[in-house]
Amino acid sequence: MAGPIASSGGSATTTMTAKPDTASQKNARSRMGGMAINSSSGAPAAHSAYPLFHRIVDPLDMSSVERRGQPLVGREPPKQSRPFGLKEAPTYRPTDDEWKNPFEYVQKIRPEAQQYGICKIVPPDNWNPDLAIDTSRFHFRTRKIELSSVEGGTRVNNNYVDGLIKFHKSNGVNFNRAPSVDKRPLDLYKLRKAVETRGGFERVCKLKRWAEIGRDLGYSGKIMSSLSTSLKNSFQRWLHPYEEYLRVARPGVQQQLEMENGGPLTPSPGPSPLKKQHQPTPSNLRDDTPAMKASEALHDSLKNGDAPVKREPVATPSENSRPVSTSGFTPVNSGGFTAVNAPPPASSGFTPVNMPNGSHRSSETGENTPKREADTPNLSTMTTLDFRPALKRQASDSSCRKSKRLKQDVAAPVAGSRVIQPRTVPRDRGSEWKTGDGCDACGKPEDQDKIIACESCDNGYHMHCVEPPLKARPEEWHCPRCLVGTGEFGFEEGGVYSLRKFQEKASIFKENYFREKMPYDPVLNCNRPVTEEDVEREFWRLAKGPDEGVEVEYGADIHSTTHGSGFPTIERNPRDPYSTDPWNLNILPFHQESLFRHIKKDISGMTVPWLYVGMCFSCFCWHAEDHWTYSANYQHFGATKTWYGIPADEAERFEEAMRKEFPELFETQPDLLFQLVTLHNPEKLQKAGVKVYAVDQRAGQMVITFPRAFHAGFNHGFNFNEAVNFAPSDWEPYGEECVRQYQMYRRDACFSHDELLATAAGNNVTIKTAKWLAPALERMLDRELSARATFFDNSQQAEANKSDNADLQSVKQIEIETEEQDPSDSDFICAFCKSYAYLSRFTCENTGKVVCLNHAGTFECCDAPEKERFTGVIGHRTKPGLQQSHKLHFRLTEASLRQVVNKVVDISRKPEQWAEKLNNLLEDDPKPSLKSLQSLMKEGEKIPYELPELPELKRYVDRCNEWVEEATNYITRKQQNRGKNNGKALRKSTAKSAEVEERERELRKVENIKKLLATADDISFDCPEIQNLRERAEAIEEFQLKARESLVQYKTKPISELEELVEVGKSFSVDIPEVDALERLVLRLGWHDKAKEYCKSAPTLKEVSEIIETGLKLEIPEHDEHLSQLRDLKQNGDIWESKAKELMSVENVHFAQLDALSKQAATPTMPVSPETLAQIDAILKKQREAQDRIINLYHRSKDAELRNRPKYKEVREVMEALADLNSKPTGTLDLEREQKRHEDWMRRGKKLFGKANAPLHILLQHMQFVETRNESCFDLKDQPRMPVEPASREHTPQDSQVEDGNLSSREVFCICRRSEAGMMIECELCHEWYHGKCLKIARGKVKEDDKYTCPICDWRKKIPRDAARPKLEELQSWRDEIPGLPFQPEEEECLDKICDHAQQFRDWMKQYINPTQPTTFDEVANFRFFLRKIEGADILLAYETNFLRHELHKWAPIAPEPPPIIEISQSTRKPRPTKQQKLMAQYNVDNPDDLPQHLRTKRKSDATPKSQSRLQPADTPHKSPAPALDTPSATVPPSLPTTIQPVEEESEPDHKSSPILDPALIDPALAGTSVFDPPTLTPDSPGPFTSYNDDSMFEDLTTGSL
């Protein structure tokens, strides 16, 4: 036997024999629930209690794995040939449109793909979801897979050899090595099979067929005599005693297993379950029992040694030699596999791993997650597995999900697997026998020193309880149960890995395994790379080779609910478009067409995906999906996964081939194919006639398996897959049949098939749903009613039998309870067959067990007799009367159930009912009504299902509708007019007018009506339009007769009668020749009547022209009297029209001629154009209105009272309105002279303010600006104060702080006397703060340490001014001219305010400006304050200004010379160049006459009156003579020296040229300092320049400076 194989990474270890657990391993297994933790599993024991999702490791490097679209993934290598000659399953590549709906696409490919059982789908290139799992947190537990044990033949061999070794060791024979023949180890199992197939040991010896057996075993034929002897001796010594023991002991062990599991292990077609029997134990097995006979045979063989047994063989036990059983069990070794007649009940707690209740199977692979019942102990061998129950999601979990495979037990979040042979015991025990436990035979705990434990299962027995009794404690002993074997099988758990660690393990294993196996390649100068064909051949070699026990690990059945899905989910990745993609495996099971939508709970592994992490050689065994559903498996990344598939048509042949190949496994495990633990070579399956197909899945590809398609496969390396089930409607019959199989084998179902159907029926059932649901519901109804009827028949029979019992006082019918709500899953699972009893169930009040109706009464749910179970009552011998012990629970009564089914059936029959209506309609009437056909068609269109007859009906109805539409054109009049209008439009807009006209003419032919009537007969239908069209044809013939008569006798008929006849002809919607002739006759008669009226009273010129044109079209003769008169009228009208347009087009309109034309148009015989006449009347009207207004305004301007004179604005509007007239009415020139006189007054005012070149309307705006500024400066509430700093640091003072229209409630600064705003600067002398904007000081030119002297302290500093400041005296003189103006000026009110405020301030200042009183130094601050207010005003108070400047220079001189006398105050702004100056600069000329001719300014005529003096330019100030100094209003105070000449304000002098003066002259406190020294500032005081960010205060001050 091969020794262990180990790699550098510890990835592969193999062992052929099981070693007993060490003490530490046993203790660890006890602590961990019976699981032995392998030190090489990859997970430290210290971390076993640490939650997997809390572990954080290095993430997986996604660039190191094969992914779709990455460079590592190349083209798929072509498969020249596969091992075993397997054919490839189809591969599909859907387009983007086909990929949108997965269910539609699967149904599209199903007819072809289902023939292979599996297929591969390559998604479109643009479909590539990212892996949504956090690889740094993803941890999983693996299962160990020993490849040589999963293959069925190898497992049978190992089981047999293991039992053989135990048998001999139990009898004191050391069997450590297999015997050798011809220097080769003898394969004992193959020898046993060869002998068995040839009739057994005695028959082979009798026929001398040992040489033939030797050739079958592969031995050479040269030594056949010695070979035959060696084979015979080996069989006789080692195998024959064990075979004899098995022949006798196997029936008893089989019967014991049946009792523990509730009945026979094979399926039964019959409904009657096995009766409960007494469990056979070694203590009650006497001489006539099979176990006793097997023990005797064993001792006989040992006594005889190697000599052949020459006694009569032990007879097979008869039915009377064992407990009575109705199971019909037949020993398998006496006649092969024989089915029994009843499925056994589940009574004991024993649940083998690979039994129906013990397998947790994978959706993708078929590996199982073994489980055991809570009372089942584990093996004591090293290969013992902790059967950790599969996790069931509790009610606290979202969606109330339940496990896919198990109902009552919990599944491990990660499943483990290694092939082992776990033991089972008939009662609850720990992992091994302990002191204090009782005997498993008698159940008594006494005589502990005499209890011996089985080395395999740890069951304890008294030495005197075993048969034969043991006198001494043997060195090693095995019970009969372990020697015969139970066939139980499972996998061992592996370690816990992250993806990165598992990738390392998988890579090291594959590299080490193939390192020495690949041949040398001289081209590459290294070993040849491993191909997929190499891996596939090596996998199957290892699987069928018992001598090489390679062990790998597989992360299978990893729950996505606890570990996360590889696809993005709507909960974790709501913005990822793949989270709602229909191919997302989290979405696919709940597609709108999936039947899983009707399952009320999520099923992990079916409706919730499971994950699979594979390595090289990790595999999944042959299996079909749970409930035979579809499955979808997507590979996120990694190496190739090879799949093998068997279509559903080959399923029975496959099952038969497996039973034939491995009968030993199916003897004890008839449901082996449900357990997902067995592989079989595809080559042998093909030889058995089974069709097997293969396909390779790579990263980014999806494999679909079809219902009941068995599949298996293996991995070529590290990969990551995700799988889920889905169920289209075509799955339902498969699901129903699978549930029947589950019931036969007593397998747990994942959900109730009947509940799914009932839920689907309770939802909104469409016809498409009803088509598959109705047949299923009908089958369910028949099955359910049949079960109920059978039960009631048995119940009635039992009642009839009970009525004869004298102990029972009365007979009571079994109680039936109808439930309103669905029970929980655990409440309606049959205790015997494990099926869901959804529609009806039988409950035992004594034990609480639930049984389906198929096994109700016959299953021993309690100690009551069968008759009492059927009747539901128990009669007590001690207590009189009857008690209810059993109940029937119906989810739906028969009537409700029929109602639900009939409702769905009716919906499903809607298409057939519609088709039946259609057939009846066509059969009853050869010419069906179009209305009925249309109604039936509309009804069919409303049916949401494909109706084969509907397209043909639509075509027929459409043809009828086309006929009706064409006939309607001839029935109604509307269509004819529309056709003519459309024809006119086409003739105008297209070049095919002749063709269109010809087509219309063809459509309007009378012959078409007759053709339509003939077509209606051909179509064979009926409608009102047919009769209407026939009546129309008859009416046309009648009309033609009348029209011909009228054309001959038209002079005797009134025109109204002819017109009516024409209308009748037009109403036929066809071209009738008589209609055109009549219409032309009527038009000519009507033209003559209209011409007579026009000649008497001419209408408009247009109407006369139109009637003349109409007459010409009607071919009225040229000499016609009325036509001649109309032409004369038109000529007169044309002359009038041309004259009127000529007069209106001249510049100076002659109103008298226009008035004459207007009167001429009033005559009745003059046709004129209404538009021209209206224009003439409008001009005359405007002329008269303008003249009246002008005369009125001129007379009002002469009124002696000024307030009665018109306002200037009114006059301006009237004069502007005259521009629309091409002439000036009488009095216009007089009003223009008055307007000019008024505007001259306004120009004088503009000149005073320095706005001579500005438009007139600027005057009022500027005056309003001046008024606003003066209001602040001349505010008498603003009194002198000590210098203060700005109190507010706000950007802009709040408007609420301004009271009474002034700023007196707030500190004001600067010459503008406004609150602080924007950047402010402090004068170092007077310490007053000024706005930087008022002094035109740019923010960027000011530095923090600069010194500043204000213009008030230093007269040489010029105050920036945007406009000239008129003297108050000039404004008062200008105001005095207002009474002599012809109109009321708009500026009067504003001018009064300006003058009044200034005069009021001057009067108030007289108390401070008194030349007769001497001034003092103490008044310097007041003088500065008043001068600051006067300088800030926009009118000049010359006298006050000169006085204050002189006094300030007198007491606080800054400049060396005194200030000059100011007579005028002009703008300091640089004049803007005029347009002419810009052009002269552009052309570089000095004389305007040198400019190009087209650019020269037009000069005024020399005839300009002298009184109209030219306006002075803006940059030429008008100098007024200074007033006398001896008058009070003189601008020069008397104290000033007469040598100082009055001058204008000049530009600001340079500071640097001014001498430094003694500050003591200004302020004695400043003695010893320089005027320009920076002031000393405290930390809290602002600097000399304070900035404010908001300059909005000055917006109102600058809007008028234009």
Side-chain angles (χ1 to χ4, degrees), residues 750-812:
C750 299
F751 58 88
S752 171
H753 194 84
D754 291 343
E755 184 180 9
L756 182 147
L757 299 179
T759 304
N763 296 334
N764 186 15
V765 180
T766 62
I767 296 178
K768 186 176 182 180
T769 302
K771 280 298 181 182
W772 65 263
L773 183 58
L777 289 176
E778 289 177 331
R779 295 193 301 271
M780 181 187 75
L781 177 64
D782 295 341
R783 185 173 62 251
E784 176 64 19
L785 296 184
S786 175
R788 293 184 183 183
T790 302
F791 176 81
F792 286 129
D793 290 344
N794 295 334
S795 178
Q796 291 176 3
Q797 182 66 30
E799 289 178 1
N801 296 336
K802 286 180 64 175
S803 62
D804 299 334
N805 191 345
D807 295 337
L808 299 179
Q809 299 178 357
S810 61
V811 177
K812 182 179 180 182

Side-chain angles (χ1 to χ4, degrees), residues 184 432 873 1112 1206 1428:
R184 289 192 310 172
E432 54 190 34
V873 294
L1112 295 178
R1428 196 176 294 121

Side-chain angles (χ1 to χ4, degrees), residues 11-59:
S11 59
T13 59
T14 63
T15 177
M16 290 297 294
T17 58
K19 297 181 181 179
D21 288 341
T22 62
S24 62
Q25 288 174 326
K26 291 180 180 180
N27 293 336
R29 188 172 57 203
S30 264
R31 292 192 302 269
M32 299 299 294
M35 177 184 69
I37 303 299
N38 196 332
S39 61
S40 62
S41 64
H47 292 170
S48 60
Y50 196 64
L52 296 184
F53 57 87
H54 283 171
R55 306 183 188 180
I56 301 178
V57 296
D58 294 336

